[in-house]
Amino acid sequence: MSLIEHKPKVYTLYLSTQTAAGSTYAPIDTNNFSIITWNINWDNLYGGYGSNVEERLSRVKFQIRSLSQSAILTDAANTGVLAIQGVGNKFANSPNGLVLGMINPSNEPVGGGTNHILIGSSLETAGVQCNLPFGYAPISVLLLNRTGALMANTTNYQLILSFEMNGG
């Protein structure tokens, strides 16, 4: 009897608040950078897998980096979490969506200035288990402060979402 090793399949989604309207994975609305919605073609991203519920299970990880801005971000106002609405986990969902991990401000001196960026990453962790949707379905990315409210003073950002699914 031979053992077959099943390697996970990894699907990566790059989202930017600066993607031009009409482009694939362009944000739907950028009026508030603390809550941005994208309409995702999930079947195109990971193949959809028909109706097999087991294979929709995934572990999601993220990495985010915002553009620089002049000394507006503070630890008190801009330390918090990145959450996503639109992917599910019946054991870890909150009213604000599935929490993926911590985000915080960081100094990024440019020409001796006091510019700041917002950063966060869970790529080196096991990720958070979720169920992925089928077809076209929106996801909203939320940047939440310590109290669970939308962060103030956020700006354009780039986000990498990595979905790891067990292969068959």
Side-chain angles (χ1 to χ4, degrees), residues 72-102:
I72 296 173
L73 301 178
T74 65
D75 187 60
N78 299 104
T79 296
V81 297
L82 182 135
I84 294 185
Q85 294 174 334
V87 296
N89 177 330
K90 65 182 180 178
F91 302 109
N93 256 351
S94 74
N96 288 323
L98 184 66
V99 174
L100 300 187
M102 296 291 298

Side-chain angles (χ1 to χ4, degrees), residues 91-167:
F91 302 109
N93 256 351
S94 74
N96 288 323
L98 184 66
V99 174
L100 300 187
M102 296 291 298
I103 52 178
N104 58 292
S106 177
N107 289 333
E108 183 184 61
V110 177
T114 56
N115 290 344
H116 290 77
I117 59 173
L118 193 60
I119 59 172
S121 180
S122 66
L123 294 180
E124 300 297 322
T125 70
V128 176
Q129 185 171 323
C130 68
N131 295 94
L132 297 178
F134 293 115
Y136 280 95
I139 61 168
S140 294
V141 176
L142 290 79
L143 308 179
L144 305 171
N145 66 20
R146 295 175 187 189
T147 68
L150 294 174
M151 280 188 185
N153 303 320
T154 56
T155 186
N156 283 301
Y157 60 83
Q158 292 75 45
L159 174 66
I160 297 170
L161 293 174
S162 179
F163 300 97
E164 185 176 298
M165 302 170 84
N166 287 330

Side-chain angles (χ1 to χ4, degrees), residues 9-10 28 30 38-39 44 54-55 83 87 102 121 123 137 146 158 167:
K9 297 175 184 174
V10 178
I28 294 172
T30 56
W38 282 269
N39 195 19
N44 190 40
E54 288 291 323
E55 295 194 34
V87 296
M102 296 291 298
S121 180
L123 294 180
R146 295 175 187 189
Q158 292 75 45

Side-chain angles (χ1 to χ4, degrees), residues 52-66:
N52 187 339
V53 175
E54 288 291 323
E55 295 194 34
R56 288 180 38 225
L57 288 176
S58 174
R59 297 193 79 69
V60 62
K61 304 173 187 182
F62 81 98
Q63 184 172 34
I64 189 171
R65 184 182 192 282
S66 72

